[in-house]
CSV table of all heavy atoms in Angstrom, one decimal:
chain,number,residue,atom,x,y,z
U,9,LEU,N,137.6,53.9,-6.9
U,9,LEU,CA,137.4,54.8,-8.1
U,9,LEU,C,138.7,55.4,-8.6
U,9,LEU,O,139.0,55.3,-9.8
U,9,LEU,CB,136.4,55.9,-7.8
U,9,LEU,CG,136.0,56.7,-9.0
U,9,LEU,CD1,135.4,55.8,-10.1
U,9,LEU,CD2,135.0,57.8,-8.6
U,10,PRO,N,139.6,56.0,-7.8
U,10,PRO,CA,140.9,56.5,-8.3
U,10,PRO,C,141.7,55.4,-9.0
U,10,PRO,O,142.4,55.6,-10.0
U,10,PRO,CB,141.6,57.1,-7.1
U,10,PRO,CG,140.5,57.4,-6.1
U,10,PRO,CD,139.4,56.3,-6.4
U,11,LEU,N,141.7,54.2,-8.4
U,11,LEU,CA,142.4,53.1,-9.0
U,11,LEU,C,141.9,52.7,-10.4
U,11,LEU,O,142.6,52.5,-11.3
U,11,LEU,CB,142.4,51.8,-8.1
U,11,LEU,CG,143.1,52.0,-6.7
U,11,LEU,CD1,142.8,50.7,-5.9
U,11,LEU,CD2,144.6,52.2,-6.9
U,12,PHE,N,140.6,52.7,-10.5
U,12,PHE,CA,139.9,52.5,-11.8
U,12,PHE,C,140.3,53.6,-12.8
U,12,PHE,O,140.6,53.3,-13.9
U,12,PHE,CB,138.4,52.3,-11.6
U,12,PHE,CG,137.7,52.1,-12.9
U,12,PHE,CD1,137.8,50.9,-13.6
U,12,PHE,CD2,137.0,53.2,-13.5
U,12,PHE,CE1,137.2,50.8,-14.8
U,12,PHE,CE2,136.3,53.0,-14.7
U,12,PHE,CZ,136.4,51.8,-15.4
U,13,LEU,N,140.1,54.8,-12.3
U,13,LEU,CA,140.3,55.9,-13.3
U,13,LEU,C,141.7,56.1,-13.7
U,13,LEU,O,142.0,56.5,-14.8
U,13,LEU,CB,139.8,57.2,-12.6
U,13,LEU,CG,138.3,57.4,-12.4
U,13,LEU,CD1,138.0,58.7,-11.6
U,13,LEU,CD2,137.6,57.4,-13.7
U,14,PHE,N,142.7,55.8,-12.8
U,14,PHE,CA,144.1,56.0,-13.2
U,14,PHE,C,144.9,54.7,-13.4
U,14,PHE,O,146.1,54.8,-13.7
U,14,PHE,CB,144.7,56.9,-12.1
U,14,PHE,CG,144.0,58.2,-11.9
U,14,PHE,CD1,143.3,58.4,-10.8
U,14,PHE,CD2,144.1,59.2,-12.9
U,14,PHE,CE1,142.6,59.6,-10.6
U,14,PHE,CE2,143.5,60.4,-12.7
U,14,PHE,CZ,142.7,60.6,-11.6
U,15,GLY,N,144.3,53.6,-13.2
U,15,GLY,CA,144.9,52.3,-13.3
U,15,GLY,C,145.4,52.0,-14.7
U,15,GLY,O,146.3,51.2,-15.0
U,16,CYS,N,144.9,52.7,-15.7
U,16,CYS,CA,145.2,52.4,-17.1
U,16,CYS,C,146.3,53.5,-17.6
U,16,CYS,O,146.5,53.6,-18.8
U,16,CYS,CB,144.0,52.5,-18.0
U,16,CYS,SG,142.9,51.1,-17.6
U,17,ILE,N,146.9,54.2,-16.7
U,17,ILE,CA,147.9,55.2,-17.1
U,17,ILE,C,149.2,54.7,-16.6
U,17,ILE,O,149.6,54.9,-15.4
U,17,ILE,CB,147.6,56.6,-16.5
U,17,ILE,CG1,146.2,57.0,-16.8
U,17,ILE,CG2,148.6,57.6,-17.0
U,17,ILE,CD1,145.9,57.2,-18.3
U,18,ARG,N,149.9,53.9,-17.4
U,18,ARG,CA,151.2,53.4,-17.0
U,18,ARG,C,151.9,52.9,-18.3
U,18,ARG,O,151.4,52.8,-19.3
U,18,ARG,CB,151.1,52.4,-16.0
U,18,ARG,CG,150.4,51.1,-16.4
U,18,ARG,CD,150.4,50.1,-15.3
U,18,ARG,NE,149.6,48.9,-15.6
U,18,ARG,CZ,148.4,48.7,-15.2
U,18,ARG,NH1,147.8,49.6,-14.5
U,18,ARG,NH2,147.8,47.6,-15.6
U,19,ILE,N,153.2,52.7,-18.1
U,19,ILE,CA,154.1,52.1,-19.1
U,19,ILE,C,154.3,50.7,-18.8
U,19,ILE,O,154.7,50.4,-17.6
U,19,ILE,CB,155.4,52.9,-19.2
U,19,ILE,CG1,155.1,54.4,-19.5
U,19,ILE,CG2,156.3,52.3,-20.3
U,19,ILE,CD1,156.3,55.3,-19.3
U,20,PRO,N,154.1,49.8,-19.7
U,20,PRO,CA,154.4,48.4,-19.4
U,20,PRO,C,155.8,48.1,-18.9
U,20,PRO,O,156.7,48.8,-19.3
U,20,PRO,CB,154.1,47.6,-20.7
U,20,PRO,CG,153.3,48.5,-21.5
U,20,PRO,CD,153.7,49.9,-21.1
U,21,GLU,N,155.9,47.2,-18.0
U,21,GLU,CA,157.2,46.8,-17.4
U,21,GLU,C,158.2,46.4,-18.5
U,21,GLU,O,157.9,45.7,-19.5
U,21,GLU,CB,157.1,45.6,-16.5
U,21,GLU,CG,158.3,45.3,-15.7
U,21,GLU,CD,158.1,44.3,-14.6
U,21,GLU,OE1,157.0,44.2,-14.0
U,21,GLU,OE2,159.0,43.5,-14.4
U,22,GLY,N,159.4,46.9,-18.4
U,22,GLY,CA,160.5,46.6,-19.4
U,22,GLY,C,160.5,47.4,-20.7
U,22,GLY,O,161.2,47.1,-21.6
U,23,VAL,N,159.6,48.4,-20.7
U,23,VAL,CA,159.5,49.3,-21.9
U,23,VAL,C,159.7,50.7,-21.4
U,23,VAL,O,159.3,51.1,-20.4
U,23,VAL,CB,158.1,49.1,-22.5
U,23,VAL,CG1,157.9,50.0,-23.7
U,23,VAL,CG2,157.8,47.7,-22.9
U,24,ASP,N,160.4,51.5,-22.3
U,24,ASP,CA,160.6,52.9,-22.0
U,24,ASP,C,159.9,53.7,-23.1
U,24,ASP,O,159.9,53.3,-24.3
U,24,ASP,CB,162.1,53.3,-21.9
U,24,ASP,CG,162.8,52.6,-20.8
U,24,ASP,OD1,162.2,52.7,-19.7
U,24,ASP,OD2,163.8,52.1,-21.0
U,25,VAL,N,159.5,54.9,-22.8
U,25,VAL,CA,159.0,55.8,-23.8
U,25,VAL,C,160.1,56.6,-24.4
U,25,VAL,O,161.2,56.7,-23.8
U,25,VAL,CB,157.9,56.8,-23.3
U,25,VAL,CG1,156.7,56.0,-22.8
U,25,VAL,CG2,158.4,57.7,-22.2
U,26,VAL,N,159.9,57.1,-25.6
U,26,VAL,CA,160.9,57.9,-26.3
U,26,VAL,C,161.2,59.2,-25.5
U,26,VAL,O,160.3,59.8,-24.9
U,26,VAL,CB,160.6,58.2,-27.8
U,26,VAL,CG1,160.5,56.9,-28.6
U,26,VAL,CG2,159.4,59.0,-27.9
U,27,GLU,N,162.4,59.7,-25.6
U,27,GLU,CA,162.7,61.0,-25.0
U,27,GLU,C,163.1,61.9,-26.1
U,27,GLU,O,163.4,61.5,-27.2
U,27,GLU,CB,163.9,60.8,-24.0
U,27,GLU,CG,163.5,59.8,-22.9
U,27,GLU,CD,164.2,60.2,-21.6
U,27,GLU,OE1,164.7,61.2,-21.4
U,27,GLU,OE2,164.1,59.3,-20.7
Side-chain angles (χ1 to χ4, degrees):
L9 186 60
L11 293 174
F12 175 74
L13 290 176
F14 302 106
C16 295
I17 309 297
R18 64 178 174 263
I19 302 166
E21 189 174 324
V23 179
D24 294 314
V25 296
V26 297
E27 301 213 11

